[in-house]
Amino acid sequence: MLSSVFENLQTDAPDLGTLAACVVTALVLGLALAAIFCARGRASRSLASTIAVLPAMVCVVIALVNGNVGAGVAVAGAFSLVRFRSVPGSASDMGFVFLAMCVGLACGMGYLGVAGLTTVLVGGAYLALSFVGAPRGESSRRTLRITVPEDLDYTALFDDVFGEYANTSRLTCVKTANMGSLYKLRYELEMAPGASEREFIDALRCRNGNLEVSLSYGEEAGNEL
């Protein structure tokens, strides 16, 4: 019975040659968009890779549900769960969840050739992008978290330290802690070439009363204060 259902579904399957051409075109355009995004200088590898392959994944989904209202509603409901997962992830994590759901959708509808083609093309693009060097500026990007006492004016407290050890600095979040007796600050930094992180942290500790200082790497560093 299952085989007969698959046979009926396969009669309406997208033409693999046409789909392959569309997916390759979407990948090329996605790479162009990722390159434009990276030209801004503050792109992470995770987000750039997701931007590059996302058009191809959307292309596959649209090809599968085109004209099928029931499948379209099911896909919309399934992909809405990705946004509200309990554990936040990076852009690359979200992209892989999206890709896995695309492949599962194709298999569930009986389009096994489409599922295989999507896995090879989009998965191969992800694999190739994983070996590409990090975009400009990523290796020097840091997320800095500093805890300061409430009676300390943090507005310009660290400006001279940032000027010595960082090319750019931006305060992105302020949060009270310990019944309002402490402030937790989060900064996005681009470290200066050759700057010593140990000396940088020691200089910050001298300003915040030797309270907690944290220097994190990568895109995931900014998920939590």
Side-chain angles (χ1 to χ4, degrees):
M1 179 178 179
L2 186 60
S3 61
S4 63
V5 172
F6 276 3
E7 289 176 359
N8 292 334
L9 287 172
Q10 290 285 3
T11 58
D12 297 326
D15 178 71
L16 290 184
T18 302
L19 181 61
C22 292
V23 170
V24 171
T25 302
L27 284 173
V28 172
L29 296 177
L31 286 170
L33 292 173
I36 295 172
F37 182 75
C38 290
R40 299 168 56 194
R42 293 187 58 84
S44 68
R45 177 186 296 183
S46 173
L47 184 56
S49 298
T50 302
I51 291 175
V53 300
L54 191 58
M57 291 188 283
V58 174
C59 172
V60 173
V61 172
I62 294 301
L64 290 173
V65 303
N66 186 28
N68 192 328
V69 178
V73 172
V75 170
F79 284 118
S80 67
L81 299 176
V82 177
R83 172 63 182 85
F84 299 103
R85 294 180 305 143
S86 59
V87 180
S90 66
S92 182
D93 295 336
M94 302 292 281
F96 263 100
V97 172
F98 198 180
L99 176 59
M101 295 181 72
C102 286
V103 174
L105 173 66
C107 291
M109 297 180 68
Y111 304 151
L112 304 184
V114 174
L117 180 66
T118 303
T119 301
V120 171
L121 291 180
V122 182
Y126 254 123
L127 186 62
L129 288 170
S130 67
F131 292 101
V132 176
R136 178 170 57 89
E138 180 187 16
S139 60
S140 61
R141 290 182 60 194
R142 302 289 185 271
T143 297
L144 173 68
R145 297 176 180 84
I146 309 177
T147 302
V148 299
E150 64 172 339
D151 57 350
L152 197 62
D153 183 8
Y154 58 82
T155 306
L157 180 63
F158 307 106
D159 285 357
D160 58 331
V161 180
F162 292 156
E164 181 178 355
Y165 293 96
N167 289 333
T168 61
S169 62
R170 182 169 61 96
L171 179 63
T172 59
C173 186
V174 179
K175 178 181 178 181
T176 61
N178 197 24
M179 302 295 292
S181 62
L182 299 174
Y183 284 109
K184 290 191 174 183
L185 316 176
R186 185 175 69 196
Y187 293 86
E188 298 297 329
L189 306 174
E190 182 178 339
M191 297 295 293
S196 171
E197 293 182 357
R198 181 185 179 90
E199 295 177 0
F200 178 49
I201 293 175
D202 288 342
L204 295 172
R205 291 168 57 201
C206 292
R207 299 294 179 87
N208 76 333
N210 204 27
L211 294 176
E212 181 179 0
V213 176
S214 172
L215 193 63
S216 305
Y217 299 74
E219 177 187 19
E220 294 80 2
N223 289 336
E224 298 290 341
L225 182 65

